[in-house]
């Protein structure tokens, strides 16, 4: 059983930055792709970014391209989301998830974290 724990959320002004971390424990991290998702009140959960098992392939949803960067450190069993130029519309609970494969081209997730709140004030 893998446990995913997110951290780094908080309150930031528009234009500011935050770095989210998701630490995995209890299993093999490096064999699986990882993703960051977010859910704002009244909206469906959306995939924000994803990274394959080795870190050499990434995905971003259009609204965050050029502002967010996903990365991973397999030695530390951690995936990161660097968020720059934050906007009020980025306000949401952010979750990390482990895919059930090395690539992120599926909708098959093994584990989810509990989420961390990101609030961007205007």
């Amino acid at each position: 059983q893998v446990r995913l724990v997110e951290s780094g959320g908080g309150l930031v002004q528009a234009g500011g930055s935050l770095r989210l971390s998701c630490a995995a424990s209890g299993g093999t991290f490096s064999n699986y792709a990882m993703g960051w998702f977010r859910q704002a009140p009244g909206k469906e959960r959306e995939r924000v970014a994803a990274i394959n098992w080795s870190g050499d392939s990434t995905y971003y949803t259009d609204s965050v391209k050029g502002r967010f960067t996903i990365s991973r450190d397999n030695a530390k069993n951690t995936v990161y989301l660097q968020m720059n130029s934050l906007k009020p519309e980025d306000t949401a609970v952010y979750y990390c998830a482990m895919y059930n494969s090395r690539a992120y081209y599926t909708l098959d997730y093994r584990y989810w974290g509990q989420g961390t709140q990101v609030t961007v004030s205007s």
Side-chain angles (χ1 to χ4, degrees):
Q1 183 79 10
V2 173
R3 184 179 181 216
L4 301 176
V5 179
E6 300 96 337
S7 61
L11 173 64
V12 64
Q13 289 188 333
S17 298
L18 284 174
R19 188 194 195 201
L20 305 184
S21 298
C22 171
S25 60
T28 303
F29 173 80
S30 60
N31 287 350
Y32 301 97
M34 298 293 296
W36 283 99
F37 299 75
R38 67 186 179 187
Q39 187 167 21
K43 295 187 177 181
E44 294 187 355
R45 185 175 298 187
E46 68 166 335
R47 185 173 63 168
V48 174
I51 189 166
N52 72 339
W53 68 282
S54 62
D56 61 1
S57 178
T58 57
Y59 160 87
Y60 299 95
T61 193
D62 286 346
S63 61
V64 308
K65 285 180 180 177
R67 300 189 298 122
F68 290 11
T69 303
I70 188 171
S71 61
R72 65 189 296 160
D73 185 337
N74 285 343
K76 295 183 177 180
N77 289 350
T78 302
V79 63
Y80 305 96
L81 186 68
Q82 177 68 43
M83 305 187 295
N84 298 329
S85 302
L86 282 162
K87 303 176 181 180
E89 52 264 43
D90 294 318
T91 296
V93 178
Y94 283 71
Y95 302 87
C96 68
M98 176 180 284
Y99 285 78
N100 201 21
S101 67
R102 292 191 168 197
Y104 50 76
Y105 302 113
T106 74
L107 299 178
D108 187 10
Y109 309 108
R110 290 169 56 88
Y111 301 103
W112 288 87
Q114 84 289 349
T116 185
Q117 176 71 46
V118 171
T119 303
V120 184
S121 63
S122 58

